[in-house]
Amino acid sequence: TLSNWPGAQAAVSSVNQFVPLFQKPTREAIASLFSTQKGDPEVLRLPLAAGSRVVDPEGWDVILPTRIAQELNNFNPQGLAGQTITLQLRRYARSSKVEDAKPSETLDYPVRVVGVLKASPQDRVYGSLNMVRFVRDFSTGRSSYVAAPGGRVDLAQISPRTLNESLRIHFGGAAAAEKAFLEMKRGRKQRFEASWPGEKMLYLRDVETVSTIVLIGIGLLAVVAGAVSIF
C-alpha cells in the first residue's frame, strides 16, 4: 500500500543491528548491519568498487563499504568481494551485575561478501533481509530461535516485532517525499512515526510496537526516582 503512494518508487523493510565482523579474529570491525532487498534504490545509487549488489534475501550475504572492508583487510579491501568473513552474534543477560556486561552467549556465522561499495551512509553494511532480522532477534533476546549457519533463515521463527521494525519509502523526487511526509504529519497514518531526511526518501516506524516499551521505560524511571528519593 505504501509503495503505491504517488511518486513512490519502492518500500524497503528497514532493520538494523550493530554487529562485530571478522576476517581474522585479530581484525574486528564493529559495523551497523542494515537490511536490503532486490531493487533497493539506496544501494543501487551507491558507487560499486568490486563485486555486485545482488543479495539472496534469505541467505547470508553482505555488501561492505570500503572503510569497513579496510578495517578487515587493509592490504586488499576490494579483494573481499566473493570471500567469506565471520559475523559474530552476542547476546547479553538482562541484569545489572557488572559481570553480566560480558556476552552470555556468542555465535559465529560465515557470511559471503558479494560486493564492496566505495562508500555508504554512516558506513552501513547491507545484508540479506531475513539474516538481519535473525541477527536483531538474537541480539535483543526477542527470540530463542537459532538459525543454522549458511542455511535458509526460517521467517516463521522470527519475532513479528522485528518483521515490521521500520520502512524506507523511496520517491522519484524530493518534492514527492516532502509531500508524503507532510501528509503523514497531518495524521493520515496515525499508527506510524515518520521522518524525512531530505533525500527523496521517507522513514516510517510502527509506533504501536514501540509505545509499550516507552511506557514501561517511563514507569521504571518513576520507580527509580522514587527509590532514590526515599533513600
Side-chain angles (χ1 to χ4, degrees):
T1 300
L2 296 171
S3 63
N4 290 330
W5 275 13
Q9 293 180 323
V12 181
S13 293
S14 184
V15 187
N16 68 295
Q17 180 71 29
F18 282 104
V19 294
L21 298 173
F22 303 89
Q23 186 180 36
K24 297 178 180 179
T26 55
R27 297 296 298 272
E28 174 182 299
I30 303 297
S32 179
L33 184 64
F34 216 87
S35 64
T36 187
Q37 297 170 242
K38 183 179 179 180
D40 184 346
E42 180 172 316
V43 175
L44 291 177
R45 69 168 175 253
L46 298 173
L48 188 67
S52 77
R53 301 182 180 88
V54 181
V55 298
D56 179 351
E58 298 179 11
W60 298 82
D61 299 341
V62 294
I63 306 170
L64 303 176
T66 293
R67 195 189 71 77
I68 296 296
Q70 286 174 333
E71 286 193 38
L72 298 174
N73 188 333
N74 190 52
F75 296 102
N76 187 19
Q78 295 184 14
L80 288 176
Q83 301 297 312
T84 296
I85 61 175
T86 299
L87 182 154
Q88 187 173 85
L89 301 188
R90 298 171 181 173
R91 177 180 279 171
Y92 294 85
R94 298 193 176 195
S95 173
S96 59
K97 296 180 181 178
V98 175
E99 55 267 26
D100 288 336
K102 296 180 180 179
S104 57
E105 188 175 0
T106 60
L107 296 175
D108 289 344
Y109 282 84
V111 294
R112 182 172 65 114
V113 179
V114 298
V116 177
L117 301 167
K118 291 184 179 179
S120 68
Q122 293 86 47
D123 289 322
R124 291 174 180 169
V125 172
Y126 295 95
S128 304
L129 175 60
N130 286 354
M131 176 189 72
V132 184
R133 285 169 166 164
F134 162 65
V135 168
R136 186 157 179 80
D137 252 15
F138 179 88
S139 301
T140 56
R142 293 177 177 177
S143 168
S144 59
Y145 166 63
V146 175
R152 312 299 278 181
V153 177
D154 186 355
L155 195 63
Q157 301 291 329
I158 296 176
S159 164
R161 283 179 54 201
T162 301
L163 298 182
N164 299 307
E165 191 74 22
S166 58
L167 287 171
R168 283 181 283 129
I169 304 179
H170 295 263
F171 291 83
E178 184 176 14
K179 181 180 178 182
F181 170 73
L182 292 174
E183 287 187 20
M184 190 72 65
K185 295 296 284 184
R186 283 197 293 267
R188 176 178 173 181
K189 299 284 184 182
Q190 289 290 350
R191 175 175 175 175
F192 294 99
E193 177 183 79
S195 61
W196 175 56
E199 297 178 354
K200 304 180 183 178
M201 74 177 74
L202 182 72
Y203 288 86
L204 297 182
R205 187 172 177 85
D206 189 339
V207 294
E208 275 192 3
T209 60
V210 179
S211 58
T212 302
I213 300 173
V214 173
L215 290 174
I216 291 173
I218 292 172
L220 289 174
L221 285 174
V223 171
V224 171
V228 171
S229 298
I230 293 170
F231 178 77

